[in-house]
């Protein structure tokens, strides 16, 4: 295949996936957003401002770190960690919120809303809103508010209003529903910063483009440090923004394997999981067509994962497309395996990963030993684990 | 001529406007819906919008969200809603029934299977909140081939271009959502609605039903003066919610409200 990858099409389709499945009130706002995005994407001033923010505020470039001890221990491929955990606010989420907030400012919006699962995107949004002096409302499932209380407190410190969402399963999907309802109601002054590569067009493409800095840097760093491209990329996939950010700049490099790791919760065979690509089927939710976890009647079913950030019944439409075309492979890791990944990285490298990222670590532990010692895996360490101390302590029966 | 077109034409001849109740099928229980549909016809409604419950009703406010949740607790599904509509048709051949909901249950059934099932159930129209004309081509052509009207929504921010697009893709009627926001929210601004309807009417030949913000006989009368039909939803479902221990009483209150609306609209 020599044709250059060029997705999505004008109306936001990745093959049969993606699109703009929204009610009429949102049609105009998303078209306006798309027009503004296309305009500023080519505006050197906007790009310069974004680059400056990424350098001086976010702290980019993030290191590509050779986890030598862990690689040796596993006895296979050389593992390199893309250190998104070292960004300001502790995860990759801020790459996107910085970009969208700049866009909001250019569009003259005074109010920012967002949904959040683990709270990382909420914190990253509240952070940029505080910096720009914009009103900020974060929707968060009531269940997540409890299990990520530290991040709730951080958002409040940053001046955001956190609204616990009590409808449905009270997790990320319900927070997204509520944020969409807010947007429909306050569309004139409000900018909705979606945190992942889902939602109606242009969000999946726009969030990808803002996150693609992960992959662009990683590619250059790998060439600089090793002198060649990696053999495999590994990243966790909930909505899939850190994964697409890492994968996207490598899509045309056919020698590079791309592996997305979904959350298997108690195990895919139990039905209690969050792995739509591995065990779901295509449908329409939150403005796009993609793989979903649903019952036979098309009702969305509850998801399960130890990590709030992966607890989502859908996945970015571009991942659906990459799966169907075979360009990327999607696997899954259970809660228990993720905890092994969490402990391994912590003990072997002195880096405490987020539970979301721990899924990628756990899969790396399976993959690396099957590869040769001169082969290279780049794993996206999408966030740091500080936010998960409570969950971990609780799980291991320790009182803090 | 479709049952919907015939209904709107007959009303226009007598200078009356369509009264269109929306209820969520299966709320508060699956047995309640069929008798309620017949009772609403007795009360003088012209078209029934039957809500298909969905787990993630993004365009709906808390009242209809809770109605969906109550119905889903009984495992109400698109198939079962179609079964209710089939039963209704056995004794009522006149009143058009429009299914209103979200696209995913239809995707799960498959567009063609759904269109066939809707035809067998003698459904008259299908309104899918999150399926704009841009994404609806396949679904629309399958429905139209079976004489089922695809109904599209218009919003306060719809442009001339989009109204024309709905006019081309839709049939039966267009549904003007007179407020930005979710169902059951806010108050009606008559001047704004009037101005918008004027713009809509210059861009479509279809009848226009107006919804969102219709709460009582007075607002129904006001809205009837503006469009070709009046949709009332959350106000009815609130009656169900206020009488969960006594659905019969909810039915009586719904009928009373609809009778009052009918009288106010016709006078």
């Amino acid at each position: 295949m020599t044709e250059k990858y060029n997705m999505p099409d004008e109306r936001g389709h990745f093959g049969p996936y993606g699109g703009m499945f929204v009610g009429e009130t949102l049609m105009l706002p998303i078209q306006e957003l798309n027009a503004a995005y296309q305009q500023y994407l080519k505006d050197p001033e906007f790009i310069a401002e974004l680059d400056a923010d990424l350098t001086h505020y976010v702290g980019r470039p993030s290191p590509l770190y050779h986890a030598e001890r862990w690689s040796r221990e596993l006895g296979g491929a050389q593992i390199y960690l893309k250190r998104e955990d070292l960004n300001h606010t502790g995860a990759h989420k801020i790459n996107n919120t910085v970009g969208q907030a700049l866009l909001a400012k250019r569009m003259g919006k005074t109010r920012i809303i967002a949904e959040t699962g683990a709270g990382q995107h909420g914190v990253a949004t509240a952070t940029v809103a505080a910096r720009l002096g914009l009103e900020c409302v974060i929707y968060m499932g009531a269940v997540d508010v409890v299990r990520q209380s530290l991040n709730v407190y951080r958002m409040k410190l940053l001046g955001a209003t956190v609204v616990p969402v009590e409808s449905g399963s009270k997790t990320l999907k319900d927070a997204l529903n509520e944020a969409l309802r807010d947007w429909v109601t306050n569309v004139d002054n409000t900018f909705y910063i979606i945190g992942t590569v889902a939602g109606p067009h242009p969000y999946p493409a726009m969030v990808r483009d803002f996150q693609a800095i992960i992959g662009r840097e990683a590619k250059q760093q790998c060439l600089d440090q090793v002198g060649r491209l990696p053999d495999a990329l590994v990243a966790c996939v909930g909505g899939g923004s850190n994964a697409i950010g890492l994968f996207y700049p490598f899509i045309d490099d056919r020698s590079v394997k791309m592996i997305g790791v979904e959350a298997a919760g108690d195990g895919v065979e139990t039905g209690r999981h969050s792995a739509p690509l591995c065990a779901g089927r295509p449908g329409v939710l939150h403005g796009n067509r993609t793989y979903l976890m649903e019952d036979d009647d098309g009702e969305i079913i509850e998801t399960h994962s130890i990590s709030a950030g992966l607890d989502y019944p859908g996945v970015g439409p571009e991942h659906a497309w990459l799966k169907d075309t075979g360009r990327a492979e999607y696997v899954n890791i259970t809660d228990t395996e993720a905890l092994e990944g969490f402990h391994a990285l912590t003990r072997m490298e002195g880096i405490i990963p987020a539970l979301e990222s721990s899924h990628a670590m756990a899969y790396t532990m399976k993959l690396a030993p099957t590869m040769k010692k001169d082969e290279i895996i780049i794993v996206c360490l999408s966030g740091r684990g500080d936010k998960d101390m409570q969950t971990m302590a609780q799980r291991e029966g320790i009182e803090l | 001529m479709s049952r919907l077109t015939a209904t709107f034409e007959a009303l226009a001849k007598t200078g009356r406007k369509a009264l269109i109740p929306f209820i969520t099928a299966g709320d508060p229980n699956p047995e309640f819906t069929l008798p309620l549909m017949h009772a609403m016809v007795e009360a003088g409604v012209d078209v029934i919008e039957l809500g298909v419950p969905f787990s993630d009703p993004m365009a709906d406010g808390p009242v209809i969200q809770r109605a969906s949740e109550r119905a889903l607790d009984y495992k109400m599904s698109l198939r079962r809603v179609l079964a209710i509509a089939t039963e209704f048709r056995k004794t009522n051949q006149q009143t058009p029934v429009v299914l209103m909901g979200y696209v995913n249950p239809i995707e799960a059934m498959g567009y063609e299977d759904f269109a066939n099932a809707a035809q067998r159930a003698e459904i008259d129209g299908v309104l899918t909140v999150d399926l704009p004309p841009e994404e609806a081509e396949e679904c629309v052509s399958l429905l139209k081939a079976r004489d089922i009207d695809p109904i599209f929504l218009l919003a306060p921010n719809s442009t001339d271009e989009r109204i024309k697009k709905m006019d081309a893709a839709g049939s039966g009627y267009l549904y003007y959502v007179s407020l930005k926001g979710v169902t059951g929210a806010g108050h009606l601004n008559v001047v704004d609605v009037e101005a918008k309807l004027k713009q809509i009417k210059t861009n479509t030949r279809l009848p226009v039903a107006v919804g969102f913000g219709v709460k009582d006989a007075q607002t129904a009368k006001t809205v009837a003066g503006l469009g070709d039909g009046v949709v009332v939803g959350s106000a009815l479902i609130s009656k169900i919610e206020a009488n969960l221990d006594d659905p019969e009483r909810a039915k009586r209150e719904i009928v009373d409200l609809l009778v009052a609306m009918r009288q106010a609209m016709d006078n």
Side-chain angles (χ1 to χ4, degrees):
Chain A
M1 198 158 98
T2 50
E3 204 174 304
K4 232 173 124 49
Y5 182 83
N6 183 23
M7 287 285 189
D9 69 14
E10 256 172 42
R11 278 171 23 195
H13 294 111
F14 301 87
Y17 304 109
M20 300 167 122
F21 292 86
V22 294
E24 178 60 13
T25 317
L26 282 184
M27 210 61 198
L28 199 67
I30 62 176
Q31 286 172 345
E32 279 171 5
L33 173 62
N34 191 34
Y37 177 59
Q38 300 300 338
Q39 178 196 334
Y40 290 118
L41 196 61
K42 295 179 204 102
D43 178 355
E45 234 176 83
F46 180 85
I47 299 297
E49 197 177 345
L50 177 60
D51 285 348
D53 277 0
L54 290 172
T55 305
H56 303 295
Y57 190 66
V58 176
R60 303 204 71 89
S62 68
L64 183 71
Y65 165 72
H66 184 192
E68 278 182 77
R69 182 162 179 247
W70 198 32
S71 305
R72 207 161 46 236
E73 162 87 9
L74 293 171
Q78 300 307 305
I79 301 164
Y80 285 75
L81 303 174
K82 182 58 176 160
R83 297 291 308 273
E84 294 301 303
D85 60 318
L86 293 177
N87 293 337
H88 179 41
T89 72
H92 72 291
K93 292 293 184 187
I94 194 138
N95 301 329
N96 168 51
T97 59
V98 160
Q100 288 199 48
L102 281 184
L103 202 54
K105 209 173 75 175
R106 299 278 165 128
M107 291 175 74
K109 305 288 184 185
T110 56
R111 182 172 176 270
I112 298 280
I113 59 169
E115 85 296 337
T116 196
Q120 290 304 102
H121 173 58
V123 167
T125 302
T127 298
V128 296
R131 179 168 172 249
L132 298 177
L134 300 169
E135 185 191 346
C136 181
V137 178
I138 305 292
Y139 291 94
M140 189 169 188
V143 168
D144 294 337
V145 167
V146 173
R147 62 178 165 175
Q148 300 287 342
S149 56
L150 194 62
N151 270 343
V152 173
Y153 184 55
R154 289 169 81 194
M155 287 183 267
K156 287 182 177 167
L157 284 176
L158 289 160
T161 304
V162 180
V163 181
V165 177
E166 300 283 353
S167 58
S169 60
K170 303 178 197 199
T171 58
L172 180 54
K173 81 171 174 76
D174 310 286
L176 231 151
N177 291 336
E178 210 55 41
L180 283 166
R181 290 180 189 121
D182 179 314
W183 199 29
V184 169
T185 311
N186 302 297
V187 75
D188 294 330
N189 70 341
T190 298
F191 190 105
Y192 179 15
I193 300 188
I194 292 186
T196 191
V197 285
H201 180 64
Y203 283 103
M206 179 170 69
V207 176
R208 172 197 72 193
D209 291 347
F210 285 136
Q211 291 293 1
I213 188 146
I214 301 173
R216 284 199 304 274
E217 283 179 5
K219 195 173 189 174
Q220 190 56 50
Q221 288 165 323
C222 190
L223 290 172
D224 291 346
Q225 291 178 32
V226 196
R228 65 176 185 88
L229 290 175
D231 299 286
L233 308 174
V234 177
C236 65
V237 176
S241 69
N242 87 86
I244 213 77
L246 178 64
F247 294 174
Y248 183 60
F250 290 94
I251 288 180
D252 287 324
D253 300 308
R254 309 295 295 186
S255 66
V256 181
K257 274 183 72 170
M258 308 193 306
I259 303 154
V261 186
E262 292 194 301
D266 293 343
V268 164
E269 69 289 348
T270 66
R272 292 173 50 82
H273 60 86
S274 302
L277 287 168
C278 293
R281 60 172 179 162
V284 172
L285 181 69
H286 294 149
N288 67 95
R289 185 182 285 118
T290 187
Y291 280 82
L292 296 177
M293 293 191 41
E294 60 176 20
D295 66 15
D296 290 343
D297 295 322
E299 308 294 346
I300 306 306
I301 55 178
E302 288 193 19
T303 53
H304 296 273
S305 171
I306 190 171
S307 77
L310 302 183
D311 212 344
Y312 180 65
V315 62
E318 192 160 19
H319 286 296
W321 175 244
L322 292 174
K323 173 193 157 79
D324 281 12
T325 56
R327 178 62 189 94
E329 180 191 347
Y330 294 89
V331 298
N332 57 82
I333 284 290
T334 64
D335 286 352
T336 308
E337 290 171 323
L339 292 178
E340 286 167 22
F342 175 94
H343 285 300
L345 192 69
T346 303
R347 292 291 180 83
M348 295 304 297
E349 296 290 345
I351 298 171
I352 303 179
L355 284 173
E356 290 76 15
S357 322
S358 298
H359 287 72
M361 301 307 145
Y363 185 73
T364 301
M365 289 166 71
K366 292 185 179 180
L367 178 67
T370 69
M371 294 169 66
K372 295 194 208 96
K373 283 188 177 148
D374 61 351
E375 289 185 308
I376 297 162
I377 305 174
I378 294 180
V379 192
C380 192
L381 177 44
S382 55
R384 67 181 183 220
D386 307 41
K387 70 180 174 64
D388 297 311
M389 291 301 103
Q390 250 170 350
T391 308
M392 288 302 296
Q394 205 173 22
R395 178 123 183 167
E396 304 191 339
I398 296 160
E399 206 165 314
L400 293 179
Chain B
M1 188 188 297
S2 81
R3 213 179 261 122
L4 276 169
T5 305
T7 298
F8 277 98
E9 282 190 3
L11 284 166
K13 270 182 200 146
T14 58
R16 294 162 74 237
K17 304 298 172 69
L19 177 57
I20 309 173
F22 168 92
I23 56 165
T24 298
D27 174 38
N29 63 63
E31 289 71 39
F32 185 69
T33 304
L34 183 61
L36 177 61
M37 290 170 77
H38 288 304
M40 292 194 302
V41 173
E42 294 266 307
V45 308
D46 303 290
V47 176
I48 293 174
E49 286 184 357
L50 199 52
V52 182
F54 181 48
S55 52
D56 294 77
M58 294 165 299
D60 287 301
V63 172
I64 294 179
Q65 281 176 49
R66 287 192 295 265
S68 268
E69 285 178 14
R70 286 192 293 271
L72 288 172
D73 282 345
Y74 284 97
K75 301 262 171 246
M76 184 49 58
S77 64
L78 180 53
R79 277 172 215 285
R80 292 181 67 189
V81 177
L82 287 164
I84 291 172
T86 304
E87 280 303 306
F88 177 76
R89 236 348 130 236
K90 283 182 182 164
T91 52
N92 181 320
Q93 282 296 318
Q94 287 78 46
T95 311
V97 174
V98 173
L99 293 188
M100 180 166 178
Y102 294 80
V103 71
N104 200 51
I106 298 176
E107 291 247 335
M109 191 183 275
Y111 286 153
E112 189 159 6
D113 285 355
F114 166 70
N116 288 334
Q119 184 182 32
R120 282 196 300 275
E122 293 187 56
I123 294 296
D124 301 286
V126 174
L127 197 169
T128 314
V129 179
D130 53 350
L131 192 67
E134 285 82 353
E135 303 285 358
E137 278 164 40
E138 185 188 349
C139 193
V140 161
S141 64
L142 286 164
L143 292 175
K144 283 187 170 170
R146 290 160 181 78
D147 289 323
I148 299 170
D149 291 316
I151 318 283
F152 286 97
L153 292 171
L154 291 169
N157 56 3
S158 298
T159 57
D160 285 349
E161 187 198 343
R162 289 198 61 77
I163 299 167
K164 286 186 180 125
K165 200 173 261 184
M166 309 294 179
D167 175 68
S171 56
Y173 63 99
L174 292 175
Y175 180 175
Y176 176 54
V177 174
S178 60
L179 293 169
K180 284 182 190 169
V182 294
T183 48
H187 296 281
L188 196 67
N189 183 326
V190 176
V191 180
D192 287 356
V193 175
E194 202 168 8
K196 191 69 192 182
L197 280 175
K198 207 169 280 175
Q199 182 204 353
I200 292 170
K201 281 293 189 180
T202 58
N203 287 297
T204 183
R205 73 217 136 77
L206 294 171
V208 182
V210 181
F212 281 38
V214 179
K215 290 178 162 53
D216 49 27
Q218 189 49 47
T219 43
K221 184 181 171 67
T222 307
V223 170
L226 304 172
D228 304 300
V230 178
V231 183
V232 53
S234 297
L236 303 182
I237 289 173
S238 295
K239 304 282 186 202
I240 294 176
E241 194 164 64
N243 296 289
L244 288 175
D245 54 341
D246 188 357
E248 277 311 305
R249 183 178 163 150
K251 192 163 81 183
R252 283 197 303 276
E253 290 186 6
I254 287 171
V255 166
D256 289 347
L257 179 59
L258 290 171
V259 167
M261 286 180 164
R262 178 84 267 168
Q263 282 171 353
M265 286 165 63
D266 290 352
N267 288 328

